[in-house]
């Protein structure tokens, strides 16, 4: 324990605070925490020192997140829209009973006129969404329960599912000797803390870090080598690296024989397509000698990891780029061993409600993503949802529940998303703040935050882990936890008996019935974790062949090319719009969650666009100047940072503020600029991912 933590512990204890084990949900990595509460207020909080995920640490946005427990702008009452849709919402306060009745009446009407599949739900991976699933899927009968993932790491998910049959492999960086990060800026956009710490510790022990990114990110700044790649060309580079490894005979033959499907065909495929380093160099802007060298280093330094997050996935060719980056791990035998990409085990966390089979309604239609023609999409292609609402394609969607996600801000093509909200018969927003999406909805329901309610979810740690969030303070205003909201609506629908728990401890006990830990111990510790288990490939994977599918049967069955290919992405800069848009997160904020937090806004009060000094000279841009970025569709005014660390021909827009932030609250309002109306609704044809970087722009001083 560091001196600082000891000191803080002592201060808090002296002042008589109660310590509650919980987790942070400021970002999806949900680090286990200790929340210190006195007189019903959060007075301090820190990482849970016992938990392997964070070992007592937190990131800046996690530290500052206690603000959420007392933000005066928190939603406090259910609100009903009083003006017509298609304009900024005006609302009146209503009671919960009125809210439940309103929603239930609309649900009944939609089921009668269009069928239950005309209601969809989208959320931010919140585990408590499970209560809405019980309500809307199991009892109401809609197959359309989705998350926001097509706006996030959908391409990574799809690549990992198709190759490894695993949705979210973790990284055993701490034991690695060679790491290639493809557009994964984990030291800026931090993903929990043990992976970043593990990587930095490994580096101190001599692990080589190569960052492939158009931008000289926080992570690139710590790398041994930064390879500035032309946007949307990772697939070409990774395929050429695979070819070098196979040409040189550096593959792990024993591993590919035992655990991989289609290795021999893959070599032939690369040869046939001519995916040589010289070919790739032309496309990605990294010279052939470097491609060869990095490929050979990677194949001969073990253990190693080649991994992606979202960078390569924001283009219409991201699906195969992702697969190719991970095939590097597969052909060199670097999967699921110590120091590798780890196909982590999941904890046996069950459903909270036991709804009898005979009470469950079977959906009559296939889920939207299948009906839309995206059978391999791990989630809804969000950018296509407006087609279903506005045009009834592939079938009508009339009701939408939105929980802990802000699609008006987060999805591409804001105009179209807002048009969608105007056309819905029922739009319900469950949030903690009056978000931009809330303002487009019929009804806004104040949910409790992670300081005020209980949740159990899978921990993002190398081994199986279950983590518990416990209520530390009373709900803010009249806000309710998702369980109570779903229960209230269910009661109006005549299904109240299925929500028969009095306290959160009752449903929590049901959820962890199969875990080797009781609720009392879980409350005491805040988490349950098993040691990481390595080398499980012999048990078979959840792919069609049970192996790592370099040849993807899922792709073949869906009519796609089973081996990855490189195709050019869709929107290419031209004379009128000469610059390529890329995006990156802000280290001091999380997406659109933290811009009303004064502590973080004091450090980072607005977002900006980065532009290379060579481009800045061409377009008359000086550092710190306000500039206009204009696409064929829209324009924004934003502050510019003139940098050396960005590939010329691109701009990097830091994501998180802006769009007037008219809704969120008094601190967020009017700060920074938002880029999501610059682009159209481009969707990856295989994974359904939103392609935010399919966007060309021009820039000039404001
Ligand atoms: N501080 C902070 N931490 C966060 C978040 C946050 O908002 N702030 N958000 C959380 C969430 S929800 C997520 S999903 C993760 C995201 O984690 P990351 O995916 O690591 O985060 P981004 O900043 O979006 O990283 C995208 C990177 O890809 C690069 N890039 C763009 N185009 C290309 C390309 O064609 N090829 C390659 N190789 N790189 C490219 C960008 O320059 C950028 O550095 O972070 C999580 N952690
Ligand atoms: N241009 C561009 N667009 C992007 C990205 C990018 O890098 N560039 N990043 C993409 C990525 S990686 C992601 S993950 C998405 C994220 O996009 P979203 O899914 O919209 O998620 P957030 O921005 O995290 O905001 C979520 C909403 O949750 C609310 N909220 C916060 N805490 C709670 C809570 O405890 N309960 C409830 N009910 N609500 C809560 C907030 O007030 C906010 O309205 O955006 C994507 N969009
Ligand atoms: S990484 Fe995410 S979950 Fe962990 S402390 Fe930071 S904001 Fe919270
Ligand atoms: Mo994300």
């Amino acid at each position: 324990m560091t001196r600082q933590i000891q000191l803080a512990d002592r201060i808090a204890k002296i002042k008589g605070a109660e310590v509650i084990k919980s987790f942070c949900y400021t970002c999806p990595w949900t680090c286990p925490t200790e929340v210190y509460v006195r007189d019903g207020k959060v007075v301090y909080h820190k990482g849970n020192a016992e938990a392997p995920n964070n070992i007592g640490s937190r990131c800046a946005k996690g530290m500052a997140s206690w603000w959420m427990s007392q933000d005066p702008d928190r939603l406090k009452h259910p609100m009903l829209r009083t003006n017509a849709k298609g304009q900024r919402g005006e609302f009146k306060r209503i009671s919960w009973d009125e809210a439940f009745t309103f929603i239930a009446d609309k649900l009944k009407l939609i089921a009668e006129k269009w069928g239950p599949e005309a209601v969809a739900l989208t959320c931010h991976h919140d585990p408590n969404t499970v209560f809405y699933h019980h309500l809307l899927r199991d009892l109401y009968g809609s197959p359309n329960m989705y998350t926001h993932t097509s706006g996030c790491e959908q391409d990574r998910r799809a690549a990992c599912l198709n190759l490894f049959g695993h949705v979210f492999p973790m990284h055993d960086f701490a034991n690695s000797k060679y790491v290639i990060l493809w557009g994964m800026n984990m030291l800026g956009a931090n993903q929990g803390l043990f992976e970043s710490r593990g990587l930095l510790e490994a580096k101190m022990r001599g692990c080589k870090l190569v960052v492939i990114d158009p931008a000289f990110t926080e992570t690139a700044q710590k790398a041994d080598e930064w390879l500035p790649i032309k946007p949307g060309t990772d697939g070409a580079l990774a395929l050429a690296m695979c070819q070098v490894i196979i040409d040189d005979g550096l593959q792990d033959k024993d591993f590919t024989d035992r655990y991989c499907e289609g290795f021999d065909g893959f070599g032939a495929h690369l040869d046939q397509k001519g995916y040589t380093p010289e070919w790739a160099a032309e496309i990605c802007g990294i010279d052939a000698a470097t491609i060869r060298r990095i490929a050979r280093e990677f194949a001969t330094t073990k253990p190693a990891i080649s991994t992606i997050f979202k960078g390569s996935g924001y283009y219409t060719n991201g699906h195969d780029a992702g697969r190719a980056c991970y095939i590097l791990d597969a052909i060199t035998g670097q999967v699921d061993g110590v120091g590798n990409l780890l196909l982590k085990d999941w904890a046996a966390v069950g459903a909270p409600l036991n709804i009898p089979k005979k009470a469950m309604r079977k959906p009559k239609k296939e889920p939207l993503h299948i009906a839309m023609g995206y059978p391999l999409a791990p989630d809804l292609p969000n950018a296509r949802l407006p087609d279903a609402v506005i045009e009834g394609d592939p079938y009508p969607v009339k009701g939408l529940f939105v929980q802990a996600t802000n699609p008006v801000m987060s999805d591409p093509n804001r105009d179209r998303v807002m048009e969608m909200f105007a056309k819905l018969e029922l739009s319900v927003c469950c949030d903690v703040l009056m978000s931009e999406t809330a303002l487009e909805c019929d009804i806004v329901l104040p949910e409790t935050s992670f300081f005020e309610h209980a949740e159990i979810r899978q921990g993002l740690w190398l081994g199986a882990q279950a983590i518990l969030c416990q209520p530390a303070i009373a709900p803010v205003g009249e806000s309710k936890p998702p369980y109570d909201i779903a229960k209230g609506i269910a009661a109006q629908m005549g299904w109240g008996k299925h929500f028969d728990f009095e306290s959160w401890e009752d449903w929590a006990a049901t959820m962890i019935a199969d875990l080797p830990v009781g609720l009392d111990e879980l409350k005491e510790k805040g988490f349950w974790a098993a040691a990481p288990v390595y080398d499980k490939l012999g048990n078979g994977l959840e792919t069609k062949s049970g192996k790592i599918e370099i040849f993807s049967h899922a792709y073949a069955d869906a009519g796609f090319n089973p081996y990855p290919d490189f195709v050019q992405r869709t929107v290419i800069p031209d004379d009128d719009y000469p610059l390529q848009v890329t995006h990156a997160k802000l280290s001091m904020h999380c997406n659109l969650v933290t811009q009303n937090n004064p502590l973080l806004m004091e450090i980072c009060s607005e977002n900006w666009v980065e532009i290379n000094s060579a481009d800045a000279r061409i377009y008359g841009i000086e550092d710190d100047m306000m500039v206009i970025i204009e696409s064929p569709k829209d324009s924004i005014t934003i502050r510019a940072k003139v940098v050396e660390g960005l590939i010329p021909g691109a701009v990097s827009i830091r994501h998180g503020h802006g769009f007037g932030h008219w809704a969120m609250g008094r601190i967020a309002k009017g700060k920074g600029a938002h880029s999501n109306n610059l682009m159209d609704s481009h969707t990856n044809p295989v994974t359904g991912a939103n392609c935010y970087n399919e966007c060309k722009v021009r820039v000039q001083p404001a």
Side-chain angles (χ1 to χ4, degrees), residues 85 110 113-115 117-120 388-390 392 395-400 423-427 442:
K85 287 200 269 199
I110 293 172
K113 278 177 91 167
W114 295 281
E117 64 282 347
V119 171
V389 175
I390 299 165
Y395 56 73
V397 168
K398 298 288 176 183
L400 184 62
K423 294 271 157 56
L424 283 161
E425 285 283 325
L426 169 67
S427 43
D442 296 309

Side-chain angles (χ1 to χ4, degrees), residues 36 70 344:
Y36 289 68
Q70 57 173 60
K344 84 174 237 102

Side-chain angles (χ1 to χ4, degrees), residues 571-583:
V571 180
I572 308 291
D574 52 29
D575 288 348
D576 284 341
Y577 298 95
L579 295 168
Q580 165 72 41
V581 165
T582 67
H583 289 94

Side-chain angles (χ1 to χ4, degrees), residues 24 26-27 29-31 58-59 61-62 190 192:
C24 173
T26 304
C27 90
W29 274 264
T30 45
C31 297
R58 309 197 60 191
C59 74
K61 54 203 194 313
N190 44 301

Side-chain angles (χ1 to χ4, degrees), residues 103-119:
I103 295 168
D105 288 350
K106 288 273 187 181
L107 284 176
K108 287 176 196 160
L109 179 92
I110 293 172
E112 231 166 69
K113 278 177 91 167
W114 295 281
E117 64 282 347
V119 171

Side-chain angles (χ1 to χ4, degrees), residues 124 148 151 405-406 410 430-431 447 585 591-593 676 692:
H124 195 128
H148 76 300
T405 182
N406 190 357
S410 304
C430 308
D431 207 296
E447 271 194 10
K585 307 282 194 195
N591 296 335
L592 301 161
V593 179
N676 283 12
Y692 299 91

Side-chain angles (χ1 to χ4, degrees), residues 27-29 61 124 148 152-153 181-186 188-191 212-215 217 229-234 309-312 314-315 582-591 646 652 655 693:
C27 90
W29 274 264
K61 54 203 194 313
H124 195 128
H148 76 300
C152 187
E153 26 71 68
L181 298 177
W182 302 77
M184 178 179 178
N185 181 21
M186 55 185 286
N190 44 301
Q191 311 192 345
I212 299 171
D213 196 306
T217 58
I229 190 169
K230 285 190 190 162
T233 65
D234 300 66
F309 216 71
K310 296 173 350 220
S312 57
Y314 279 176
Y315 306 88
T582 67
H583 289 94
K585 307 282 194 195
L586 289 160
S587 62
M588 286 296 136
H589 285 279
C590 185
N591 296 335
L646 177 68
S652 171
H655 174 73
N693 293 354

